[in-house]
Structure formats: structure tokens, C-alpha cells
């Protein structure tokens, strides 16, 4: 895993990385609502009105409060999407029954959330309007990339990735060490 | 004065046009017009490429008026791909031109005795025919350029390419956008083959000297238009998402949902999704001097289209839509956006349905013709269609034929029409519509059209097991009605979420015709259309056994969720039991 601070990064290259997912430090387990509003610091109104399509570990989320983000989870955020499928995937939408097989189950959520939070890593993917609006803020606080994604990014930013081996913008770290530092 | 234009291509002495009163079809438009005319006038047992089939064009009820986003045109016939009734619709300028010329429908019938190819000019003075053998086997781009030389650039065109002339099952009819690029496809079901069977290469539509259609109650119409437009701009999907990224904004989401069919429906996620997403596509278009926000026809304020330039900044194609990027992209394992846009350009040029063609190539990849992910190979295979080679004719005939030619079991078709870009195992409600719509697998047959507001079929609890059947049924009813208005389906979200926008849509129609349409009337129209279509198909030989997904969807779990399609046949048979 590589650590990259993106203060002067070209937005275009980082677009791909944010769509693939970047890792953030987080205290887990926690409710998805808490993760979004307190750890990502997104306003409640923004989450309610803008983040209308949410996935947790690839499952569609209807109930933010009772869905549990774990160490290693992937959280994906999107605005409302067009089409019947867009309506179907929408959080708590009228057509949610049409994708019941891929909806996040809150059955054991409460007992999971009761566990004491500990430092961990959560992958966040941003799409469409959320990518534009939240992406820069996320990058400004610093994110982690998977090794392959980081190499791909460096390769696209320069013709000679090897020349950047000592570039202090790119720091190879151990994921577990990074996680133990706790949320920033 | 609204009228019907009837063109007999098989008349003694050459093609002949006559004008008729609206009669029983007065007040209809779009899909309601095409389907009810086809159901009444076409023998369901006829050969789709024979003289007995008819090709019916119809602008929507509001097309040609000042109502925003209302410019769509429908075409209907007996489909050479499915063997059943077909309605396909597109944006572009053709619908508005026909509507302003006063034609609520154009019915093309008969078949010329000879082999001459024809163009048909429609203007305010009438209709004229011209032999155009010099256009034979030309692509749609060259055809339009040649016709622009004769007719100037103040007209618009509906044309077919090589695929339509060869009467292939995947052939489309291409309407032009505002820049006269032949990019707006009436794509599904082989409608281009029917136009080819009637030896018509192109319609030239000249609206010079015509005016915008005027509402019967101007004040009522204008007030509704103001509210409606504000509603489209206000909503996040129609006001921001679609203008910013186009329909391809769906790629990332469907991939995340595990509902993005990959490598001919072998998987539900595609590793290269971010390279071909709407977000990336919009960025590339902007970088290269194209347009990420573009209206396919005059007066659309959603503007979900775009202009895609190649790496040198030269126009290549319109922004390929989600279904196209999927069919040629993830469905074929291809993650190179430039290659996908090139394939889109070729589809438009040859006059091919991008969904059918991409799925056919995916099936051919599974059959061993070329490996998944071979973008350059896909371009070579598609080029064969333009050449008219035996391989090209197979691919251009659609996924079903291709599957038979290459001995493939996993062929994703319903009623022989290729499935669009949503895996029905992950989104099962969509699978119900794919299976049961009279059109063959079609993602737009049961759209997210405010069924909750319309109360189509009464209140439905979507959480009950029977809810999925009822939802699909009600969506299909509501969609059939909206498809008749000429409104783009992308108005669906604002009218779904914003009651004032929904009311404004109804008021637009009421103000235009000075009527008092109710939600019950809308439901009745949708049911009337669907019943006519279902009856046509029944008389063409369709049974309940045709309302099924291919067997592999019930047997092969799809990753990452490892789900199969579990809706039973008995449940599917209840969809139209109203």
C-alpha cells in the first residue's frame, strides 16, 4: 500500500482512483450514518438529500443508521441515478423490492455495533456528483491507495515512474501500521 | 391541421403518397399511434420483410410544440428480429420536423417491384420521390453528407445504412441530431430492415415555412411549461446528473451493484469499469474540446448527450450512451473508451442497434471467434457488417443468430432480442419486465414512471412477494402511456419525486389539447396500447413460453452475489392478468 498526499495532484488522474476506491482511517465498527456524518464529516442534510444511492460491501443500503461499517469495508456513495435501475437502487426507494437479493441486511447490525470501536481502514468509492463535490475534500485530508492503483497513478502522472522512487509525495507504508495511527 | 401521410411503395407506376384524416387515431401520438395502427392494419402472420408489413412513424403527442424534452419520434412495425410487434423511439430532429409539417403519422406500406433505392422528400408542399441508387450501400454519415449537398443543412434526415439495405435483424433507422450527425437510433427490433425492405434509403424532412405547433389553451400551456421546465432543472438527475455525465453515469453504479453483465453475462462486475465510466467519459470529452453537455434535439433542457472527439480533437461520434458503452465495453471485456466510441460510430454508420450488435459480438467472443477484451478484433468483426460479408451478416442479424452460428448456449435474448445492460439475476424486478414485455428484452419497456402517483392498478405494496409482478405490470402500463406523449423517459425522476412537476406534465397535455386528462385516462391509454400489442403477438403465434428469460439465468449464479433469477414461470404469467 502507498500513502499519497494530493495537495497538488492532477484531478483527472485521481478521478480514476476515487472511482476505484481509496482507503481512509476510521474507527470501526460504526454505523454507516456515523461514518458519513462524523468520520467523513459530511453534513446530515447533504447525506439525506444528495447521497441517495449507497452501497456497503457491494450491497445496496436502505437504512444508514442500522448498517455497520467494519474494518476493511467498502463504502460507495452516489447521487440519485437515472432509469428504472437508478430508481431501484435508490436508498429506501419505492422500487427497492426489485433488488431485494442485493440489499444490505440489518439483521445482526445492532450486536455488531455494540463492539468497542478500534482503528481500522475503510475503502471509500465516490461516483458522479459526489465524486465532484466530496472528492477534493477527501484527498485534502490524505488517502491510501492499493499498491497497484498507486503504481498506475504514478505511471499516468509521469513518463518515468522510476524517477519518482524517492519523491516524498509517494511513501510506501504498511497498511496495518497506518491503521493503528487512528482516524485523522 | 393534423393528418396522416400514407405512402404506398408498391403502387402501380411507382411510389405514391396520399393524405388522410386522423379518424379513430385522433389525439394519439408516439407508441400509442404506431402500435394501434400496426395492430389494426398489419396481418400478424405476414412476413416482416414482405409487402404486407407496414412501417409507421409517429411523433409524440406534444412533439413539435414548445414543451421541453418532447421531441421524440416512434416507429412501429412487425419486427423481423422478434416476429412480434415493435415500437422503437429516438430523439433528434425528425420528430419535430414531421410534427411541424402537420403529420401525426406516416404509414409506409407495400414494396416496390424493382430494385431501385428511393429517397422521400417531405416538405410543406407535399411529398416527392427520387431514385437514389447512387446511395446504395453507403453508410449513414456519407449518405447524409451527400443529401446535404442536394438539400442543404436546414433540413433533417432519417436514413438507413448498409445493415438496413441488407435487411438484417439488428438494423436501425438513424435520425439526425441538431448538427446533422446520424446518431439518434430507432434501434431495437430491426426496424431498419423493414425500411430497407421497402427500398427507402432516406427521408428528407424539410420544415421550412412551418411553425411550432400551437396549444389550444395558450395560457394554460405556458403556465404548465414554466413549472415543468423549472422542475426538470431543479431535480438532481435531470438538472445535474444527466447533463454532467450522460446516461453512462450508470456504469459505476451497476458495477458496484454486481448487476453489470460482463463477458457475455458471465459475471456481474467489470475490472475496468472506471476507465469507461460516464465520469471518465465526460472528462475526456471536455479535455478534447468536445461537449459533455449537449441536446440531441432543439428545446431539450436535460441535455444528456455529448460530443466525443478523438485524440486529435476531431469529431468521432456522439457520447455513447450507457447501454452502448456496456454492450461494446464490459460485455465484451473491453475497457478502452476510444475503441468503444469507434464501435459506436461504426454502429451508427452501418445503421445498427448498438445493444444488439454489442451483445452479438459478446456471444461470438464466447463462441471463440475472438477473445474477450480484444478491442481491435471487435472493430475488425464489426467492419465485416459494412462489407456485407457472411460473417458481417451473421453479426448484424443479432445475438440469437450469432449464438446459433457459433454454437453458444449462453445467449442473452428474450423473444430473440438481446438483453440490455442490467443483469436480471441481481435486479430481478427488471428481469420480470425483460421476460414479459411484448417488445422482447427491453430496459425502457417498464420505466420508473411515477406509478405511485398515477396509482396505476391501485396502491401496490412493493414489499409483498406479489409486488414485483404488480410493479412490473404498472411500470409497463405507465411507460406505454409516456411513450405516447413524445416525452423523453428521462423526465421520469422529476415527475416521480416532485408532485408539482407531475401535475405540470398533465397540465401541459391538457393545455395543449384543451382537455382534462386524469391519471385514470393515462392508465387506460397505457392498458389499451399493451393489450393491442399483446393481442398482435398472440395472433403472431406467441405464447406464455415466450415470456421467459433464457434458461441460464435460472441455473447459473452470477458473481459477486451468486444469485440466480428466481421468479417462477407461474408468477411471470400473472403480470398481464389484469
Amino acid at each position: 500500500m502507498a500513502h499519497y498526499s494530493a495537495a497538488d495532484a492532477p484531478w483527472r488522474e485521481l478521478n480514476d482512483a476515487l472511482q476505484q476506491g481509496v482507503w481512509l482511517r476510521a474507527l470501526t465498527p460504526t454505523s454507516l450514518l456515523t461514518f458519513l456524518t462524523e468520520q467523513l464529516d459530511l453534513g446530515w442534510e447533504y447525506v439525506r438529500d444528495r447521497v441517495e444511492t449507497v452501497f456497503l460491501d457491494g450491497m445496496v443500503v436502505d437504512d444508514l443508521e442500522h448498517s455497520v461499517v467494519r474494518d476493511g469495508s467498502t463504502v460507495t456513495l452516489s447521487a440519485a441515478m437515472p432509469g428504472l435501475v437508478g430508481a431501484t437502487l435508490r436508498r429506501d426507494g419505492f422500487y427497492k423490492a426489485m433488488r431485494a437479493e442485493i440489499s444490505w441486511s440489518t439483521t445482526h447490525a445492532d450486536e455488531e455495533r455494540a463492539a468497542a470501536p478500534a482503528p481500522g481502514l475503510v475503502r471509500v468509492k465516490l461516483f458522479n456528483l459526489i465524486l465532484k463535490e466530496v472528492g477534493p475534500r477527501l484527498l485534502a485530508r490524505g488517502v491510501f491507495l492499493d499498491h497497484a492503483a498507486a503504481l498506475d497513478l504514478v505511471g499516468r502522472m509521469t513518463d518515468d515512474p522510476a524517477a519518482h522512487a524517492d519523491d516524498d509525495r509517494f511513501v510506501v507504508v504498511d497498511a496495518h501500521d497506518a491503521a493503528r495511527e487512528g482516524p485523522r | 391541421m393534423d393528418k396522416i401521410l400514407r405512402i404506398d411503395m408498391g403502387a402501380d407506376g411507382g411510389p405514391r403518397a396520399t393524405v388522410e384524416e386522423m379518424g379513430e387515431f385522433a389525439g394519439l401520438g408516439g407508441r400509442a399511434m404506431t402500435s394501434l395502427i400496426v395492430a389494426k392494419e398489419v396481418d400478424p402472420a405476414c412476413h416482416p420483410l414482405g409487402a404486407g408489413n407496414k412501417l409507421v412513424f409517429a411523433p409524440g403527442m406534444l412533439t413539435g410544440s414548445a414543451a421541453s424534452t418532447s421531441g421524440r419520434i416512434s416507429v412501429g412495425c412487425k419486427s423481423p428480429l422478434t416476429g412480434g410487434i415493435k415500437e422503437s423511439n429516438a430523439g433528434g430532429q425528425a420528430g419535430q420536423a414531421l410534427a411541424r409539417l402537420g403529420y401525426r403519422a406516416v404509414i409506409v406500406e407495400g414494396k416496390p417491384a424493382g430494385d431501385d433505392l428511393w429517397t422521400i422528400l417531405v416538405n410543406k408542399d407535399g411529398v416527392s420521390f427520387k431514385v437514389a441508387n447512387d446511395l446504395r450501400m453507403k453508410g449513414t454519415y456519407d449518405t447524409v453528407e451527400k443529401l446535404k449537398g442536394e438539400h442543404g443543412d436546414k433540413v433533417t434526415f432519417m436514413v438507413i445504412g448498409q445493415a438496413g439495405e441488407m435487411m438484417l435483424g439488428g438494423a436501425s433507422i438513424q435520425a439526425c441530431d441538431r448538427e446533422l450527425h446520424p446518431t439518434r437510433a430507432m434501434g431495437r427490433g430491426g426496424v431498419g430492415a423493414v425500411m430497407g425492405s421497402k427500398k427507402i434509403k432516406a427521408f428528407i424532412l424539410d420544415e421550412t415555412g412551418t411553425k411550432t405547433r400551437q396549444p389550444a389553451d395558450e395560457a394554460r400551456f405556458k403556465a404548465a411549461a414554466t413549472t415543468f421546465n423549472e422542475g426538470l432543472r431543479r431535480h438532481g438527475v435531470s438538472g445535474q446528473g444527466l447533463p454532467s455525465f450522460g446516461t453512462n453515469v450508470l456504469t459505476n453504479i451497476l458495477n458496484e451493484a454486481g448487476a453489470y453483465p460482463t463477458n457475455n453475462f458471465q459475471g456481474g462486475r467489470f475490472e475496468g469499469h472506471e476507465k469507461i465510466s460516464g465520469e471518465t467519459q465526460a472528462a475526456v470529452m471536455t479535455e478534447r474540446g468536445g461537449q459533455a453537455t449537449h441536446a440531441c434535439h432543439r428545446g431539450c433542457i436535460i441535455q444528456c448527450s455529448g460530443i466525443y472527439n478523438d485524440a486529435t480533437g476531431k469529431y468521432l461520434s456522439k457520447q455513447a450512451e450507457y447501454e452502448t458503452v456496456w454492450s461494446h465495453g464490459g460485455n465484451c471485456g473491453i475497457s478502452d473508451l476510444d475503441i468503444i466510441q469507434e464501435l459506436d460510430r461504426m454502429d451508427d454508420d452501418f445503421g445498427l442497434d448498438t445493444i444488439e450488435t454489442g451483445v452479438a459480438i459478446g456471444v461470438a467472443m464466447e463462441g471463440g471467434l475472438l477473445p474477450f477484451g480484444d478491442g481491435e478484433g471487435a472493430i475488425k468483426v464489426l467492419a465485416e457488417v459494412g462489407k456485407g460479408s457472411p460473417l458481417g451478416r451473421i453479426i448484424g442479424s443479432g445475438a440469437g443468430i450469432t449464438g446459433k452460428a457459433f454454437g453458444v448456449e449462453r445467449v442473452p435474448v428474450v423473444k430473440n432480442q438481446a438483453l440490455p445492460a442490467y443483469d436480471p439475476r441481481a435486479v430481478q424486478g427488471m428481469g420480470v419486465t425483460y421476460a414479459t414485455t411484448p417488445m422482447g428484452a427491453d430496459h425502457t419497456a417498464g420505466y420508473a414512471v411515477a406509478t405511485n402517483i398515477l396509482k396505476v392498478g391501485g396502491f401496490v405494496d412493493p414489499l409483498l412477494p406479489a409486488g414485483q409482478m404488480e410493479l412490473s405490470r404498472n411500470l409497463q402500463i405507465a411507460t406505454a402511456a409516456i411513450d405516447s406523449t413524445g416525452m423523453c423517459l428521462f423526465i421520469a425522476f422529476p415527475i416521480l419525486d416532485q408532485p408539482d412537476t407531475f401535475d405540470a406534465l398533465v397540465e401541459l397535455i391538457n393545455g395543449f389539447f384543451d382537455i382534462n386528462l386524469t391519471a385514470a385516462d393515462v392508465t387506460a391509454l397505457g392498458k389499451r396500447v399493451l393489450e393491442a400489442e399483446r393481442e398482435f403477438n398472440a395472433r403472431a403465434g406467441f405464447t406464455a413460453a415466450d415470456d421467459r428469460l433464457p434458461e441460464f439465468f435460472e441455473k447459473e449464479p452470477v458473481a459477486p452475489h451468486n444469485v440466480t433469477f428466481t421468479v417462477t414461470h407461474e408468477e411471470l404469467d400473472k403480470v398481464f392478468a389484469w
Side-chain angles (χ1 to χ4, degrees):
Chain A
M1 183 172 285
H3 174 230
Y4 176 42
S5 294
D8 57 349
W11 175 242
R12 173 77 174 79
E13 278 74 11
L14 286 161
N15 235 337
D16 280 9
L18 286 164
Q19 292 175 64
Q20 286 177 305
V22 295
W23 292 92
L24 300 176
R25 293 191 187 104
L27 290 173
T28 60
T30 184
S31 87
L32 183 49
L33 183 62
T34 302
F35 177 74
L36 295 178
T37 57
E38 295 181 13
Q39 301 201 33
L40 285 190
D41 201 22
L42 303 178
W44 160 237
E45 290 80 10
Y46 183 82
V47 171
R48 181 191 62 199
D49 299 336
R50 192 61 141 182
V51 189
E52 296 200 58
T53 315
V54 180
F55 296 86
L56 178 56
D57 296 325
M59 309 297 278
V60 190
V61 174
D62 293 304
D63 182 346
L64 295 174
E65 194 175 352
H66 293 98
S67 300
V68 181
V69 180
R70 309 172 182 112
D71 183 23
S73 281
T74 298
V75 174
T76 304
L77 308 178
S78 163
M81 289 291 95
L84 176 58
V85 166
T88 302
L89 298 177
R90 200 175 191 183
R91 177 159 49 81
D92 208 22
F94 184 76
Y95 300 109
K96 64 183 178 185
M98 298 176 82
R99 43 79 176 166
E101 288 72 14
I102 59 171
S103 298
W104 208 90
S105 168
T106 57
T107 307
H108 302 293
D110 286 343
E111 55 197 75
E112 269 199 82
R113 273 194 309 156
L121 283 175
V122 174
R123 186 161 70 156
V124 176
K125 296 182 182 179
L126 302 180
F127 296 153
N128 48 73
L129 296 171
I130 312 298
L131 169 62
K132 275 185 170 179
E133 293 163 354
V134 178
R137 204 176 349 150
L138 216 60
L139 294 172
R141 49 184 274 180
V143 299
F144 300 88
L145 299 180
D146 286 327
H147 193 252
L151 288 179
D152 180 54
L153 179 65
V154 175
R156 292 170 62 177
M157 289 170 62
T158 172
D159 293 333
D160 185 12
H164 289 262
D166 299 324
D167 190 326
D168 61 8
R169 292 181 303 162
F170 302 96
V171 185
V172 177
V173 297
D174 179 83
H176 296 288
D177 288 347
R180 277 195 290 273
E181 291 176 29
R184 301 161 55 137
Chain B
M1 176 81 179
D2 290 344
K3 48 197 180 288
I4 291 175
L5 174 64
R6 190 177 291 273
I7 294 172
D8 183 357
M9 292 302 294
D12 290 340
R16 184 175 61 214
T18 53
V19 176
E20 301 172 4
E21 298 300 317
M22 296 291 292
E24 66 185 281
F25 302 111
L28 298 178
R31 178 172 166 186
M33 182 76 84
T34 64
S35 285
L36 293 176
I37 290 177
V38 169
K40 182 185 179 194
E41 297 194 5
V42 175
D43 177 0
C46 77
H47 194 290
L49 303 177
N53 199 5
K54 301 190 183 190
L55 192 65
V56 182
F57 295 93
M61 293 161 70
L62 293 172
T63 306
S65 75
S68 173
T69 318
S70 66
R72 293 189 80 82
I73 184 170
S74 290
V75 63
C77 58
K78 177 173 177 175
S79 165
L81 186 76
T82 69
I85 198 165
K86 173 55 61 180
E87 186 267 355
S88 183
N89 62 63
Q93 290 293 111
Q96 291 187 336
L98 264 185
R100 286 168 61 120
L101 285 161
Y103 295 116
R104 307 306 307 147
V106 177
I107 304 172
V108 184
E109 57 194 22
K111 191 173 177 176
D115 194 39
D116 283 335
L117 205 54
W118 296 84
T119 59
I120 302 176
L121 170 65
V122 185
N123 60 22
K124 65 180 174 50
D125 299 320
V127 181
S128 57
F129 302 89
K130 185 180 175 187
V131 172
N133 290 326
D134 55 330
L135 297 176
R136 193 179 298 279
M137 290 301 277
K138 282 195 182 301
T140 64
Y141 275 91
D142 281 352
T143 298
V144 165
E145 275 310 300
K146 182 129 187 8
L147 292 173
K148 275 166 64 180
E150 290 176 35
H151 300 277
D153 59 4
K154 305 299 182 198
V155 299
T156 196
F157 308 98
M158 295 190 295
V159 300
I160 59 169
Q162 295 93 327
E165 286 190 58
M166 292 186 284
M167 294 174 275
L168 305 181
S172 62
I173 298 170
Q174 300 290 131
C176 292
D177 59 18
R178 292 175 301 148
E179 292 80 12
L180 292 183
H181 296 135
T183 56
R184 320 316 307 185
M186 287 162 262
R188 308 239 64 192
V191 293
V194 179
M195 188 156 147
S197 76
K198 300 191 180 304
K199 305 292 179 191
I200 301 168
K201 181 69 177 178
F203 285 88
I204 303 112
L205 306 174
D206 182 359
E207 61 182 354
T208 306
T210 66
K211 291 180 179 172
T212 302
R213 291 174 69 213
Q214 294 302 306
D217 185 338
E218 190 172 353
R220 193 178 179 189
F221 179 81
K222 274 190 173 175
T226 301
T227 306
F228 184 71
N229 293 352
E230 186 276 328
L232 295 189
R233 290 193 182 98
R234 184 187 352 139
H235 196 276
V237 171
S238 55
Q240 291 176 285
L242 283 168
S244 299
F245 305 111
T247 61
N248 193 26
V249 71
L250 285 167
T251 290
N252 278 330
I253 295 299
L254 267 295
N255 188 72
E256 190 67 13
Y260 187 81
T262 301
N263 291 2
N264 190 36
F265 287 80
Q266 291 184 33
R269 286 224 174 108
F270 181 50
E271 200 164 322
H273 66 96
E274 79 285 352
K275 294 183 173 62
I276 61 174
S277 69
E279 292 87 332
T280 300
Q281 193 181 27
V284 170
M285 287 191 295
T286 303
E287 280 172 9
R288 294 179 178 177
Q291 289 180 45
T293 304
H294 173 264
C296 75
H297 69 70
R298 202 170 48 220
C300 177
I301 60 177
I302 295 180
Q303 303 186 69
C304 69
S305 184
I307 300 292
Y308 191 97
N309 292 341
D310 65 17
T312 68
K314 186 181 163 198
Y315 170 82
L316 175 61
S317 189
K318 90 281 193 184
Q319 176 185 16
E321 294 200 36
Y322 167 64
E323 283 77 17
T324 305
V325 174
W326 161 76
S327 71
H328 284 304
N331 183 57
C332 292
I334 295 170
S335 59
D336 185 320
L337 199 51
D338 283 333
I339 284 178
I340 293 167
Q341 286 283 167
E342 176 68 28
L343 291 162
D344 176 69
R345 159 78 180 222
M346 294 169 77
D347 284 337
D348 285 347
D349 196 34
F350 300 152
L352 285 167
D353 174 23
T354 58
I355 297 175
E356 196 66 47
T357 307
V359 174
I361 293 173
V363 169
M365 286 175 160
E366 176 140 355
L369 180 66
L370 68 169
F372 285 108
D374 183 358
E376 295 297 338
I379 288 176
K380 285 179 187 165
V381 168
L382 186 52
E384 294 298 314
V385 182
K387 294 175 191 169
S389 71
L391 173 62
R393 286 170 184 261
I394 290 170
I395 297 292
S397 294
I401 294 286
T402 302
K404 285 186 168 69
F406 288 92
V408 176
E409 182 184 349
R410 189 186 294 105
V411 181
V413 298
V414 174
K415 300 180 178 70
N416 200 42
Q417 179 167 285
L419 261 69
Y422 316 88
D423 198 300
R425 289 165 289 193
V427 188
Q428 307 225 342
M430 185 66 97
V432 175
T433 299
Y434 283 166
T436 59
T437 168
M439 296 295 153
D442 186 342
H443 63 294
T444 63
Y447 217 66
V449 184
T451 51
N452 51 335
I453 299 174
L454 282 168
K455 300 282 190 295
V456 179
F459 177 77
V460 171
D461 183 349
L463 297 179
L464 293 176
Q468 301 224 12
M469 307 314 118
E470 293 180 337
L471 277 176
S472 176
R473 174 197 309 147
N474 296 346
L475 287 165
Q476 292 191 55
I477 290 170
T479 302
I482 294 292
D483 275 346
S484 304
T485 65
M487 284 287 175
C488 177
L489 281 174
F490 295 145
I491 67 167
F493 259 87
I495 67 173
L496 183 74
D497 289 343
Q498 301 165 179
D500 59 325
T501 311
F502 177 81
D503 292 341
L505 171 64
V506 177
E507 267 300 281
L508 269 177
I509 299 170
N510 285 339
F512 194 82
F513 295 101
D514 195 19
I515 56 176
N516 288 296
L517 195 68
T518 65
D521 296 327
V522 175
T523 301
L525 175 64
K527 280 187 175 178
R528 184 181 166 201
V529 172
L530 279 171
E531 282 170 351
E533 291 171 347
R534 298 262 307 168
E535 188 187 339
F536 183 97
N537 281 359
R539 288 190 289 142
F542 284 76
T543 67
D546 296 294
D547 288 344
R548 303 285 183 261
L549 293 183
E551 191 181 33
F552 75 88
F553 286 116
E554 298 171 1
K555 294 189 170 173
E556 292 181 15
V558 64
H561 300 297
N562 296 318
V563 285
T564 57
F565 185 70
T566 56
V567 180
T568 66
H569 295 178
E570 290 72 23
E571 288 172 317
L572 290 175
D573 291 340
K574 291 176 187 167
V575 169
F576 285 97
W578 62 55

